[in-house]
Amino acid sequence: MDRRDFLKRSGAAAAVAGTGLGVSGLAHGKSTIKWKMVTTWPKNFPGLGTGANNLAKLITEMSGGRLKVKVYGAKELVPAFEVFDAVSRGTAEMGHASAYYWKGKVPEAQFFSTMPFGMTANEMNGWIYYGGGQELWDEVYEPFGVLGRPAGNTGVQMGGWFNKEINSLEDLKGLKMRIPGLGGEVLKRLGGTPVNLPGGELFTALTSGTIDATEWVGPYNDLAFGLYKAAKYYYYPGFHEPGTILEALINRKAFEKLPKDLQSIVLNACRVVNMDMLAEYYARNPGALDQLVDKHKVQLRAYPDDVLRQLRKVSAEVAEELAGQNQAAKKIYESYQGFLDSARKFSRISDLAYLKARDE
Ligand code: CA
């Protein structure tokens, strides 16, 4: 339906509503808009896939069925890593993914996903919503006709699954590991081989020896994929993903065709899911970790302090290098880094000081 038709019909329905007759005409009449949402996750995958489902359900419910969104898992409509292109060309009106998957096409998009030793979930939300991050994100996706919005966050992830202990940087040399985004670049600098695979392929790749190690998300998600059956050591912390944003991708033309109230519903549903997913991770990760350790006898290991220190140094170099790739990347890096420097001063005397006081 084109915009003119839509306005005509909704106008007619509003006129009827104004007379006090048949308000339900708009909700149940011919004005239903149908959208597709493609995702990089296996259908219904805990946290990520169900987050996409929640987003679709919220939009459908909040709009009283005027905008119905149907979710497709990875490969159902398009392969996992073609989600961005599918939304850009309008094959689907929405997508659910994470921005670092598009680093080959838009390297600076990685800032809107997560950065090694970068911001936590709360800090990312602060930067995106109130620190100028969203405006920069809009500029990056503008040429592709796509809007990106935070629609989920994993919190601090786990370091990953290994079949050997990591006692020094030497142990990372020659390691073929699934690790996306800039974390992968860090591994490459240290002599490893980063591989990017969709979540649904990790278990097979690890058991078949296609990769030596993998990270995924955290206990809740890693338990669901059964990664403990393929690797023995589970490392923390996930220095490479300290607060990864899952993004809702929205085709700009499709969005602009919506009346204002439906636009607001789409954007606010993203905000709700952004908060909701993080809450779910905080609720489910602790119990899943207990299961991994107590039931499946997973060996939990902390990266040695010295290894973390060196990873931090290389991470800073990799981020600076990304900033040097183009003008947009430089501008985003400066904004991101400025916000982080300022946030760090406060988090030291708030979150960090409090958690230390509470738990040590
Ligand atoms: Ca991850």
Side-chain angles (χ1 to χ4, degrees):
M1 183 189 318
D2 72 18
R3 184 180 165 80
R4 217 176 31 212
D5 272 349
F6 180 83
L7 289 177
K8 216 164 27 187
R9 287 182 200 175
S10 59
V16 173
T19 64
L21 302 168
V23 179
S24 64
L26 193 57
H28 304 292
K30 289 174 186 169
S31 57
T32 300
I33 300 164
K34 287 185 178 166
W35 274 14
K36 298 183 193 81
M37 185 196 292
V38 289
T39 69
T40 50
W41 328 117
K43 182 96 173 160
N44 304 323
F45 188 74
L48 305 169
T50 54
N53 293 351
N54 283 343
L55 179 56
K57 187 166 165 263
L58 265 175
I59 294 171
T60 304
E61 279 178 9
M62 287 162 83
S63 69
R66 287 160 59 211
L67 177 53
K68 285 188 176 159
V69 184
K70 186 170 184 217
V71 178
Y72 294 84
K75 291 190 213 166
E76 281 191 321
L77 207 58
V78 296
F81 292 153
E82 284 177 27
V83 164
F84 186 87
D85 289 342
V87 177
S88 176
R89 66 175 177 253
T91 304
E93 292 80 4
M94 285 193 85
H96 195 261
S98 194
Y100 55 28
Y101 291 141
W102 329 127
K103 74 173 181 183
K105 182 189 274 287
V106 205
E108 61 272 27
Q110 294 175 90
F111 286 107
F112 306 105
S113 194
T114 189
M115 299 289 286
F117 293 97
M119 295 193 229
T120 62
N122 286 334
E123 291 165 346
M124 278 301 272
N125 286 335
W127 178 56
I128 297 284
Y129 292 137
Y130 292 98
Q134 184 63 63
E135 291 75 9
L136 293 166
W137 197 352
D138 287 346
E139 280 177 29
V140 169
Y141 281 0
E142 213 273 325
F144 304 95
V146 168
L147 294 169
R149 286 293 181 282
N153 198 304
T154 63
V156 180
Q157 298 198 4
M158 288 292 285
W161 297 88
F162 299 84
N163 270 311
K164 63 174 187 182
E165 290 193 338
I166 305 298
N167 296 314
S168 73
L169 290 187
E170 278 300 306
D171 295 316
L172 297 176
K173 280 207 177 117
L175 197 74
K176 200 168 175 193
M177 180 174 182
R178 185 271 181 188
I179 174 168
L182 287 188
E185 293 302 315
V186 172
L187 179 69
K188 199 166 152 190
R189 287 260 176 130
L190 295 168
T193 307
V195 181
N196 196 13
L197 291 171
E201 295 172 26
L202 297 187
F203 182 79
T204 311
L206 196 55
T207 45
S208 68
T210 307
I211 51 175
D212 306 314
T214 188
E215 66 79 61
W216 175 224
V217 181
Y220 179 43
N221 284 161
D222 296 6
L223 176 68
F225 270 154
L227 296 175
Y228 59 88
K229 291 180 220 158
K232 185 173 164 191
Y233 299 107
Y234 197 22
Y235 270 82
Y236 68 90
F239 71 89
H240 62 300
E241 298 204 50
T244 306
I245 285 186
L246 292 315
E247 65 179 359
L249 295 163
I250 308 160
N251 178 281
R252 192 184 273 268
K253 274 193 192 141
F255 181 78
E256 284 169 357
K257 269 191 218 159
L258 296 177
K260 289 277 180 263
D261 62 334
L262 291 185
Q263 289 184 350
S264 173
I265 283 169
V266 169
L267 299 183
N268 282 296
C270 291
R271 279 202 182 221
V272 170
V273 171
N274 193 38
M275 180 283 295
D276 187 77
M277 191 188 291
L278 186 63
E280 190 181 8
Y281 277 114
Y282 269 83
R284 313 255 189 244
N285 273 331
L289 181 64
D290 286 347
Q291 268 199 62
L292 287 170
V293 173
D294 299 338
K295 191 174 162 200
H296 302 299
K297 308 297 173 204
V298 164
Q299 300 288 307
L300 202 55
R301 294 281 188 280
Y303 283 121
D305 287 344
D306 180 50
V307 168
L308 284 174
R309 248 192 310 277
Q310 295 175 74
L311 287 169
R312 195 167 65 217
K313 189 170 158 268
V314 176
S315 295
E317 290 166 13
V318 163
E320 277 170 33
E321 202 164 281
L322 170 61
Q325 282 197 21
N326 59 51
Q327 205 48 41
K330 184 169 179 283
K331 189 168 150 191
I332 302 164
Y333 172 77
E334 282 166 5
S335 170
Y336 184 101
Q337 209 55 42
F339 193 94
L340 174 55
D341 288 344
S342 155
R344 196 194 313 267
K345 278 187 209 150
F346 183 62
S347 65
R348 276 198 186 122
I349 61 157
S350 55
D351 290 348
L352 186 61
Y354 171 70
L355 289 173
K356 273 177 93 168
R358 189 188 70 182
D359 297 338
E360 278 181 3

